[in-house]
């Protein structure tokens, strides 16, 4: 196998298609600071720290993806029967030890970057970072006891938003938690689509997810709620003047949300393969929704 193909498989092992789940909340936090700076809320902003914090969020995400694959494989959760993205441990391309070492190396890279940002912003970033590391390392254990959605919302929404804003301003801005919440809920929808698709196989593997607890009908309702609530939250956030009214540009993504909801509503327990790409489709919605939100606030900051 060529060196180029080998490098490509290392990239695939990090699940790059899922990076909008971390990158977009981080960029929204960046856009929030930009708009707030334009409105005179923040006077001193470290823009370089902001860029590095966005990169750091994606690095921690990648490490969590890689180590999650390792633990799913060694615990018998991932097998040849599962659909969805290619799993290079299942296919035998990588050995488990290689993937674990890879995940830990990426995590160390994220920690080094986090230490740099802490030294250039303040000690509170250390505590935010430690919580992020714990979420990345122990996510697989919490996922197996139906806490995956909660951990994802905390780590891919609240911690990222709070951390990026602090890295840029050296202030704990609690309103940032609300600002990144809409995208955070859509990120949770990615996981829930994945867990609903794997409902039967996960149950056979002896783990517990929200999809298993809720059943197929409850899972449909939960997914619909996760897809619709972000649009309502945007109206609240704009009304509180935390983001520019141009934020309503996210409504252009609403047809994609409806498409995902329709696909989930039609699935049955014996036809779960029909939503095998719904997690990827939901990830695309996260990217489009977030880019529209970011664009609205960047433009709003310039006019």
């Amino acid at each position: 196998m060529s060196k180029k193909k080998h490098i490509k498989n290392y990239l695939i092992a990090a699940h790059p298609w899922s990076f909008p789940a971390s990158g977009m909340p981080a960029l929204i936090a960046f856009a929030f600071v930009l708009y707030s700076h334009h409105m005179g809320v923040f006077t001193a902003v470290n823009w370089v720290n902001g860029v590095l914090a966005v990169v750091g969020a994606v690095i921690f995400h990648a490490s969590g993806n890689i180590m999650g694959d390792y633990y799913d494989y060694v615990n018998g959760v991932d097998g040849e029967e599962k659909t969805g993205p290619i799993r290079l441990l299942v296919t035998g391309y990588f050995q488990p030890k290689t993937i674990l070492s890879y995940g830990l190396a990426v995590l160390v890279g994220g920690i080094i970057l986090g230490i740099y940002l802490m030294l250039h912003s303040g000690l509170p970033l250390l505590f935010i970072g430690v919580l992020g590391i714990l979420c990345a390392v122990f996510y697989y254990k919490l996922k197996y006891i139906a806490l995956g959605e909660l951990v994802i919302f905390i780590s891919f929404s609240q911690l990222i938003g709070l951390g990026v804003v602090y890295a840029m301003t050296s202030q704990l801005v609690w309103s940032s938690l609300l600002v990144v919440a809409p995208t955070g809920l859509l990120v949770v929808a990615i996981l829930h689509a994945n867990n609903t698709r794997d409902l039967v196989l996960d149950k056979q593997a002896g783990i517990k997810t929200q999809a298993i607890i809720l059943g197929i009908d409850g899972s449909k309702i939960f997914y619909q709620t996760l897809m619709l609530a972000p649009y309502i939250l945007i109206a609240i956030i704009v009304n509180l003047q935390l983001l520019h009214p141009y934020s309503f540009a996210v409504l252009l993504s609403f047809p994609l949300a409806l498409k995902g909801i329709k696909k989930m509503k039609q699935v049955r327990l014996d036809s779960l393969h029909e939503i095998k790409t719904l997690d990827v489709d939901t990830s695309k919605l996260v990217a489009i929704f977030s880019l529209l939100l970011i664009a609205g606030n960047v433009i709003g900051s310039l006019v």
Side-chain angles (χ1 to χ4, degrees), residues 59-81:
I59 290 175
F60 276 110
H61 183 189
S63 69
N65 283 344
I66 297 163
M67 289 189 291
D69 275 1
Y70 168 79
Y71 287 114
D72 281 348
Y73 180 78
V74 298
N75 286 297
V77 177
D78 273 354
E80 295 181 0
E81 305 86 0

Side-chain angles (χ1 to χ4, degrees), residues 135 146-156 188 191 210:
C135 286
L147 292 176
E149 282 85 351
L150 177 61
V151 174
I152 289 297
F153 181 74
I154 291 173
S155 57
F156 285 83
V188 173
L191 173 64
Q210 283 297 325

Side-chain angles (χ1 to χ4, degrees), residues 10 13 66-76 78 88-104:
Y10 268 99
I66 297 163
M67 289 189 291
D69 275 1
Y70 168 79
Y71 287 114
D72 281 348
Y73 180 78
V74 298
N75 286 297
D78 273 354
L88 295 173
L89 274 174
V90 176
T91 62
Y93 182 85
F94 285 120
Q95 293 300 312
K97 185 178 179 180
T98 302
I99 285 294
L100 180 59
S101 298
Y102 177 31
L104 290 173

Side-chain angles (χ1 to χ4, degrees), residues 12-24:
I12 291 173
H15 298 191
W17 64 267
S18 69
F19 288 168
S22 54
M24 290 305 164

Side-chain angles (χ1 to χ4, degrees), residues 270-291:
D270 59 355
S271 63
L272 292 174
H273 63 278
E274 293 179 359
I275 57 170
K276 64 181 181 180
T277 62
L278 186 57
D279 54 351
V280 178
D281 294 339
T282 308
S283 182
K284 292 177 182 177
L285 173 63
V286 169
I288 294 171
F289 177 98
S290 301
L291 287 172

Side-chain angles (χ1 to χ4, degrees), residues 114-195:
I115 292 173
Y116 171 85
L117 288 172
M118 180 197 70
L119 293 175
H120 289 78
S121 57
L123 192 60
L125 195 63
L126 172 64
F127 299 104
I128 296 172
V130 168
L131 286 175
I133 293 169
L134 292 175
C135 286
V137 173
F138 295 107
Y139 166 68
Y140 79 99
K141 284 184 174 291
L142 297 168
K143 181 178 73 172
Y144 296 167
I145 57 173
L147 292 176
E149 282 85 351
L150 177 61
V151 174
I152 289 297
F153 181 74
I154 291 173
S155 57
F156 285 83
S157 169
Q158 308 298 273
L159 291 180
I160 286 179
L162 197 63
V164 170
V165 174
Y166 185 83
M168 298 176 72
T169 66
S170 295
Q171 298 179 47
L172 289 172
V173 184
W174 301 110
S175 57
S176 64
L177 301 178
L178 179 60
V179 168
V180 296
T183 295
L185 291 175
L186 291 177
V187 171
V188 173
I190 299 174
L191 173 64
H192 189 64
N194 179 290
N195 287 346

